[in-house]
Structures are given as structure tokens and as C-alpha cells.
Amino acid sequence: MDAGLKRELEAKVYAGERLTREDGIALYESDDLAWLGRLAHHRRTELNGDRVMFNVNRHLNLTNVCSASCAYCSFQRKPGEKDAYTMRIDEAVRKAKEMEDEQLTELHIVNGLHPTLPWRYYPKVLRELKAALPNVKLKCFTATEVQWFEKISGLSADEILDELMDAGLESLTGGGAEIFDWEVRQHIVDHDCHWEDWSRIHALAHRKGMKTPATMLYGHIEEPRHRVDHVLRLRELQDETGGFAVFIPLRYQHDFVDSADGKIRNRIQARTTMASPAESLKTFAVSRLLFDNVPHVKCFWVMHGLSVAQLSLNFGADDLDGSVVEYKITHDADAYGTPSTMHREDLLDLIWDAGFRPVERDTRYNVVREYDAPPTLAQRRAEPQQVWA
Ligand code: SF4
């Protein structure tokens, strides 16, 4: 990038001016990672100071049986496959209850598009979870699942959301977004929920008072311009509804050979690499700068590893997900040594070690508890440094 353009972009960021599509593409073309981090950190600090938010949640996947076969997905199984599973409602409740001692505040539930499970299963599972864990907020279902419920129930998304909210739904999840541009989407997504339906369902949820997350799956066959396009669509919708609480760039994962059946399920693996840590940090930084009207940017550490998660806090991220005891979708695809469990104390140490102030939040980003400021660098140097995977 030439020095003139660099100065121009820098001036725009410091003046709080909105960046354009061309600006976003130019930022991705820059190899000056430290500069990108400085700009993103400026914006992140303006919005969120030295805070890093987290919540204590549990991820549950009620079923891995799915009618679709998205090219990158190593989670889905077809009915009758050896390790296909669908939880009974009491089983889901028992699993959720196991985390009670962790003082969890949120259950995060996403699932395959099960071909025969009836619609009534879903509100019922929510009601029983709510009855068993009344203080836990239920963040459940992608827009893709809601569109699936429309198909299997004959109801509209409006009626579906009303019933789910009545059963205890607090928020949708942000998945199913992947990359919206059809040029890429047609090669990786194998269901019918694309930008038109995804945005329709989130806008509807926002009108009903929900705050929802939005995700982006990056680092596969897309190019930076597709990431820019993705964020700009969301930014435009956010101008209308103001309902997105957080943006979550998710790093595409390679599959491993499944020891159960010797298969690699990811069908684009042979022609893809995974985003390097530097590319991930760049993606966090550019996302923070472009998506100027979303309050938070989250790093889902399971997909990045803990060291990159710590670094991402200097590249625009201000939210870490979460106190995860079990997360199947990523961990079916992960052989890279990322731990599968993190508890509140681990997360606090991770945030303090990175030099930030932990703040526990709830699903709607209300503050639950503020923690102490991080120790100074001198204090940290006085003790042996912790090494994070
Ligand atoms: S990404 Fe979701 S919809 Fe696509 S195959 Fe996997 S579980 Fe099914």
C-alpha cells in the first residue's frame, strides 16, 4: 500500500469516518500487520476501553443428523451412520445440568437439520431446559434452522420465533452466515438459507427485541473482497435494525481422519489451507474497522487457539467465548491441540495475562460482574509467564 493511501485510511479511522468497500479491500492488501492492529485497537479502545467480555456458557448440539451436506462440515451425519446421534430431551437437560456448578449463564444450542425430528421437539426442549435451569439464558438455533422449522412446521418465521420466545428463547445464534456472496456460497453451502432468508430472520428477531450475533466463516475458498462484502451487508442491516450485538469471525477448520470410519468429511480440504494466525489477526482488525456500528467483536478461542485469542484482543476483539466444557462442531474437526475445556478461572487468567480487564456479561451484553484491572507489566514479569496453547 502506498504511503499516501495509508495516511488517508489512518486519517479516516482517527476521524471516525465510515470506511468504504475499497477501503476494506485496501486494508486486506496491507502487509503491515502492526499498523492494522494499531488502527483496530484504537477503534476497539474507543468502544470498549480495556475491557474483555466473556460469559460462562455451555454449547450443546442436540443432534448431528443433518439433511444438508455443506462442503466444509465435518459435524453432520446422515441417519443410520454409526455415530449419528439425537438427544432425548431428558438427556439434553441432564447434560446442561452437569454445568450447574460452573454458574453458567447461557446455553448455546445449534444442531443439524434433522430430516424427521418434528417441530414440536424444539420448543419442548427449550421449555424443559428453562424449567430445569431457570436462570440460564437460551441462545439457540441459527437462522438456517429457523428457516428449516418453517419448512417442517408450515409456520412462518414470525410464528416460530414467537413460540420459541414463549418457550424461553433469549437470542438466536449467529451461524449459517458463512460467506454470503453467491460466488463463494454456492460452492460451500448445501441448504436453502442464503442472505435473503438469513437477513430476513435476523431482522425479524431484532424487531421482536432480540440482540443477535453475526458470524463469518473465513479462510477457505473466499477472497478478502468476499469478507468485505459480507461485513458490509451486515453493516447495512445493522444501520436499519441495530440488533446485532457482536460480530464473530470464525476460522475455517480442516478435518482430520475420523478414527471411527477413516473418513475425511470436509470436501474442500484438498484445495484449501487454513488461515494463518497473521491472516486471522488481519481479519479481526479489518472487521473491527469496517463493521463500525456493531458494539463488539468476538474471538471464539476454540477455533484460534489461546495465544492467537490473546493477540486478537489487540486486533479489535473485545469478547471471548466462553467457558466451554464441550463443543462438538469444531472439535470434530480439530486436531491442533486446542483444549476442549475452559473454566471461568482459566478465562480470567487468559485475559489478565493479555493485559486486559475481564468483565463477565450475560447474553444481552449486560454486565454481570467487573473484575480487577490486569496486573502491571512489572508485576507480570516478576512471576513466571504462563504459556497458552
Ligand atoms: S453446516 Fe450445519 S447445515 Fe451444513 S451440513 Fe453441517 S450441520 Fe448441516
Side-chain angles (χ1 to χ4, degrees), residues 46-106:
E46 271 185 338
L47 289 166
N48 294 296
D50 68 346
R51 293 165 143 206
V52 172
M53 294 196 138
F54 70 95
N55 72 344
V56 181
N57 66 6
R58 169 153 185 152
H59 288 237
L60 267 187
N61 308 117
L62 300 170
T63 179
N64 63 354
V65 177
C66 189
S67 304
S69 299
C70 299
Y72 58 85
C73 181
S74 55
F75 170 71
Q76 58 90 13
R77 297 290 185 276
K78 296 304 167 209
E81 265 196 81
K82 202 167 136 219
D83 48 356
Y85 75 87
T86 301
M87 284 184 199
R88 291 190 318 273
I89 292 177
D90 61 334
E91 210 179 326
V93 171
R94 182 180 54 74
K95 275 193 166 268
K97 290 277 283 181
E98 282 168 14
M99 278 274 287
E100 242 181 343
D101 292 347
E102 293 276 333
Q103 298 165 341
L104 82 159
T105 58
E106 178 186 279

Side-chain angles (χ1 to χ4, degrees), residues 126-138:
L126 260 51
R127 277 185 214 285
E128 300 219 3
L129 286 168
K130 200 69 197 170
L133 299 162
N135 298 322
V136 172
K137 301 283 190 258
L138 301 176

Side-chain angles (χ1 to χ4, degrees), residues 64 73-78 80-84 255-266 332:
N64 63 354
C73 181
S74 55
F75 170 71
Q76 58 90 13
R77 297 290 185 276
K78 296 304 167 209
E81 265 196 81
K82 202 167 136 219
D83 48 356
D255 200 355
F256 61 96
V257 179
D258 194 323
S259 56
D261 55 16
K263 284 186 188 165
I264 292 180
R265 289 189 159 73
N266 180 342
D332 276 0

Side-chain angles (χ1 to χ4, degrees), residues 89-378:
I89 292 177
D90 61 334
E91 210 179 326
V93 171
R94 182 180 54 74
K95 275 193 166 268
K97 290 277 283 181
E98 282 168 14
M99 278 274 287
E100 242 181 343
D101 292 347
E102 293 276 333
Q103 298 165 341
L104 82 159
T105 58
E106 178 186 279
L107 269 174
H108 180 120
I109 301 179
V110 292
N111 317 290
L113 310 175
H114 195 292
T116 54
L117 208 52
W119 148 245
R120 65 179 177 279
Y121 168 87
Y122 299 95
K124 193 161 182 218
V125 82
L126 260 51
R127 277 185 214 285
E128 300 219 3
L129 286 168
K130 200 69 197 170
L133 299 162
N135 298 322
V136 172
K137 301 283 190 258
L138 301 176
K139 184 161 83 182
C140 313
F141 312 127
T142 60
T144 307
E145 289 180 87
V146 174
Q147 194 222 27
W148 179 252
F149 299 156
E150 288 185 294
K151 279 190 194 167
I152 62 174
S153 68
L155 300 171
S156 66
D158 191 46
E159 293 164 311
I160 284 163
L161 289 183
D162 282 348
E163 180 153 358
L164 292 174
M165 288 169 82
D166 188 58
L169 182 73
E170 184 78 18
S171 169
L172 294 178
T173 68
E178 327 313 359
I179 287 286
F180 289 125
D181 192 320
W182 187 244
E183 202 174 273
V184 172
R185 195 171 183 84
Q186 62 182 310
H187 299 295
I188 60 169
V189 167
D190 178 47
H191 51 68
D192 299 334
C193 187
H194 307 303
W195 167 247
E196 294 70 20
D197 283 313
W198 194 98
S199 57
R200 168 179 66 87
I201 289 165
H202 276 267
L204 187 59
H206 298 165
R207 283 202 295 280
K208 290 178 184 292
M210 280 191 219
K211 291 284 179 196
T212 67
T215 62
M216 172 177 77
L217 187 71
Y218 71 92
H220 42 88
I221 59 168
E222 92 292 357
E223 292 173 23
R225 67 190 162 90
H226 300 118
R227 295 180 210 167
V228 170
D229 174 80
H230 189 90
V231 166
L232 293 191
R233 290 181 198 226
L234 292 167
R235 185 173 82 178
E236 201 175 313
L237 185 57
Q238 179 77 332
D239 278 339
E240 287 169 30
T241 70
F244 290 118
V246 60
F247 181 60
I248 315 165
L250 297 172
R251 180 181 178 229
Y252 158 79
Q253 307 278 304
H254 266 187
D255 200 355
F256 61 96
V257 179
D258 194 323
S259 56
D261 55 16
K263 284 186 188 165
I264 292 180
R265 289 189 159 73
N266 180 342
R267 300 197 308 282
I268 49 174
Q269 182 143 313
R271 58 192 174 111
T272 52
T273 55
M274 286 168 57
S276 65
E279 188 62 22
S280 292
L281 295 174
K282 184 185 276 192
T283 303
F284 275 100
V286 180
S287 300
R288 176 61 286 173
L289 292 167
L290 269 186
F291 205 163
D292 54 12
N293 52 1
V294 76
H296 303 285
V297 173
K298 180 192 283 188
C299 177
F300 185 37
W301 57 262
V302 182
M303 287 182 168
H304 295 273
L306 299 178
S307 300
V308 175
Q310 282 187 312
L311 284 169
S312 75
L313 303 175
N314 290 285
F315 283 77
D318 66 285
D319 185 22
L320 285 180
D321 188 5
S323 181
V324 179
V325 160
E326 177 184 52
Y327 188 64
K328 277 188 164 296
I329 288 182
T330 299
H331 271 271
D332 276 0
D334 183 346
Y336 300 95
T338 316
S340 59
T341 60
M342 280 280 276
H343 298 274
R344 185 192 305 263
E345 291 65 32
D346 302 319
L347 214 52
L348 290 173
D349 281 345
L350 187 83
I351 296 166
W352 276 319
D353 272 2
F356 292 88
R357 180 194 303 267
V359 175
E360 188 172 343
R361 63 166 176 83
D362 66 12
T363 304
R364 289 180 160 267
Y365 284 81
N366 297 312
V367 171
V368 173
R369 182 171 167 192
E370 303 247 11
Y371 288 84
D372 292 340
T376 63
L377 195 54

